[in-house]
Amino acid sequence: MMKCEEVSKELIAYLDRRANSAERRDVEEHLLVCESCRARAVEFRKLWSVLEEVPVEEPSFGFDARLRQRIAAEPKRRWFQWFVPHPRLAFSIALLIALSVLVAKLPQPKSGSNLATVQAEDDQFQMIEHLGVLENYDMLSRSEVLAEVPPAAAPQTDQQTQEPDDGGGSL
Amino acid sequence: MTTSDVQLMLDVKAGDEASFDLLLRRYRTPLVNFLYRMVRDSATAEDLAQEVFLRVYRARKQYSPSAKFTTWLFRIATNLALNSIRDNRHRRMESSLDAPLDEEESAPRELPSGDMRIDEHLMERDRCDFIRRAIGALPEKQRVAVLLHKYEEMDYGEIARILECSESALKSLLFRAYETLRVQLAPLIAQPARPGAGEGRP
């Protein structure tokens, strides 16, 4: 048989007729032999009647109107919010994408050694480009500019071939 | 045939404002009463009830009928009421640092003990006020349980979901609450207001 402590857990469900048949039987068996629990059960029923004495409070006259006013003051959702339900998140993602594109388009920084290499390659390319002209003896000998150079200043012939790009004037 | 709460809420979700009005008419009085019995201030109870409906309206587009509508509604109401009670308690504690409390605020009102004549007390306070005070003096969770069980006639499963506890824990909670009320309201139980009272049902 159930003890008083065990019955206390099921007593309310028994009194409000929500206990199942097994629980009802257990409680009824206990109430038959326990006077204090029986008295408590009677008092609980009386208590529920007492609690019913509290009148129902009606909402004030302007309750609905005030609620309607508050609902009308709610910010409306705009059409794009259906596509972008979380504007802050969407803005963050857009900003991240824009920054990524910007960083990718920036020119890559060059180091000092790289710059020197590029300059040297450029000089070499220009020299190769004009090499045909400088090695053409006929063209150089017909040049009016070189003809004005005094013969005394002309260097040795073997030097001319060795240094074709210094503009030497004995040609 | 009465349209179910879930169907009305689904209609509100689809943009039918009239269904929201029906839900409002159906639940404004139970909500105001529940909140009034929780916070014991009619203006605060109405403000909180409005806040409950406003939250339901705001959440209409995300509504999915996964639980009973009343479970959702009264869970919002319970959370708002408990927050309001705690905020109010906190404010009163803060004000007590600056200004002395009057007698009314500083000490909880004593309920009459069983050996006192009930007539003496009822000369100053009527029975309803006496009952409200007894309910208001219950610990918060017990108070919610009693209000939903006695006045809203919810089943144990629904109350347990609102209070986020097991049904077994709820039964213990209800027993402790009614046991406290039985002792506190013993003078009224011994002297029923209406003839034939005593066969009350929750």
Side-chain angles (χ1 to χ4, degrees):
Chain A
M1 186 182 292
M2 287 174 110
K3 292 178 182 171
C4 291
E5 299 85 56
E6 293 168 321
V7 165
S8 67
K9 208 167 186 176
E10 299 302 332
L11 190 58
I12 302 297
Y14 169 77
L15 293 172
D16 69 13
R17 299 188 175 90
R18 294 179 201 181
N20 61 40
S21 54
E23 290 163 348
R24 286 187 67 81
R25 193 179 56 246
D26 288 345
V27 175
E28 278 167 0
E29 278 178 6
H30 180 84
L31 291 181
L32 278 173
V33 296
C34 181
E35 196 177 334
S36 65
C37 283
R38 205 162 53 239
R40 181 180 282 129
V42 170
E43 289 207 337
F44 274 161
R45 283 210 171 100
K46 287 181 180 175
L47 169 69
W48 287 342
S49 285
V50 167
L51 293 177
E52 280 168 18
E53 291 174 31
V54 178
V56 171
E57 297 284 326
E58 287 298 329
S60 64
F61 184 70
F63 184 85
D64 289 12
R66 275 189 289 128
L67 181 63
R68 282 276 153 223
Q69 231 171 8
R70 288 180 74 177
I71 286 173
E74 288 279 292
K76 299 277 181 216
R77 282 170 74 90
R78 298 185 190 283
W79 64 268
F80 57 80
Q81 286 178 303
W82 293 107
F83 301 101
V84 189
H86 304 290
R88 283 180 189 167
L89 180 67
F91 178 75
S92 305
I93 292 170
L95 192 67
L96 195 66
I97 292 170
L99 278 173
S100 306
V101 170
L102 196 68
V103 168
K105 285 201 168 185
L106 278 175
Q108 293 296 318
K110 290 169 182 170
S111 62
S113 61
N114 281 347
L115 272 173
T117 311
V118 170
Q119 186 65 43
E121 282 176 354
D122 196 42
D123 290 347
Q124 206 172 6
F125 176 75
Q126 284 193 2
M127 189 185 77
I128 292 165
E129 193 181 16
H130 300 298
L131 198 59
V133 179
L134 295 172
E135 285 180 344
N136 191 328
Y137 179 78
D138 290 339
M139 193 180 284
L140 287 174
S141 62
R142 284 199 300 274
S143 169
E144 288 179 4
V145 177
L146 292 175
E148 288 175 7
V149 177
Q156 296 296 315
T157 309
D158 58 340
Q159 285 177 332
Q160 289 168 7
T161 53
Q162 285 172 5
E163 298 172 4
D165 58 338
D166 65 353
S170 67
L171 301 171
Chain B
M1 191 179 142
T2 313
T3 314
S4 72
D5 296 339
V6 168
Q7 187 53 55
L8 285 174
M9 199 55 214
L10 289 171
D11 293 344
V12 175
K13 184 181 183 178
D16 182 13
E17 297 282 316
S19 294
F20 185 76
D21 285 341
L22 282 173
L23 283 171
L24 174 62
R25 278 202 286 276
R26 199 174 280 181
Y27 288 107
R28 64 186 166 194
T29 302
L31 264 186
V32 166
N33 273 277
F34 171 74
L35 289 162
Y36 177 62
R37 286 162 185 159
M38 281 298 291
V39 299
R40 293 179 59 210
D41 179 79
S42 55
T44 308
E46 286 217 355
D47 280 349
L48 293 176
Q50 294 221 336
E51 186 61 32
V52 174
F53 282 115
L54 206 57
R55 289 189 184 198
V56 168
Y57 186 80
R58 280 181 196 145
R60 67 195 184 283
K61 296 292 179 190
Q62 290 83 46
Y63 177 74
S64 66
S66 55
K68 273 184 85 173
F69 176 74
T70 46
T71 308
W72 182 42
L73 192 73
F74 278 91
R75 184 183 280 182
I76 298 172
T78 300
N79 289 338
L80 285 172
L82 294 178
N83 285 341
S84 171
I85 290 166
R86 283 161 199 164
D87 288 351
N88 196 34
R89 192 183 299 146
H90 187 66
R91 269 199 301 276
R92 280 193 293 179
M93 278 173 69
E94 279 183 343
S95 69
S96 71
L97 297 173
D98 304 323
L101 286 172
D102 57 29
E103 196 181 327
E104 187 83 0
E105 292 284 320
S106 59
R109 286 186 183 181
E110 289 290 318
L111 290 167
S113 57
D115 58 344
M116 295 173 93
R117 273 177 59 84
I118 187 70
D119 298 352
E120 294 169 14
H121 298 282
L122 295 186
M123 282 168 68
E124 293 177 13
R125 307 171 201 159
D126 64 5
R127 289 173 67 100
C128 291
D129 192 35
F130 195 59
I131 296 163
R132 284 199 190 100
R133 281 180 198 287
I135 295 171
L138 288 172
E140 290 158 5
K141 227 174 167 180
Q142 288 186 24
R143 204 184 321 167
V144 175
V146 165
L147 294 179
L148 296 178
H149 178 255
K150 177 71 191 79
Y151 296 107
E152 303 309 321
E153 297 182 355
M154 284 185 182
D155 60 49
Y156 293 125
E158 195 173 3
I159 303 171
R161 277 191 290 278
I162 290 170
L163 285 173
E164 295 174 331
C165 65
S166 66
E167 282 191 36
S168 174
L170 173 69
K171 284 179 179 175
S172 300
L173 199 70
L174 275 173
F175 178 80
R176 288 202 302 276
Y178 284 128
E179 185 62 11
T180 304
L181 288 175
R182 186 179 69 87
V183 174
Q184 296 288 349
L185 298 176
L188 301 191
I189 292 168
Q191 193 176 333
R194 289 165 293 170
E199 290 300 315
R201 292 204 51 198

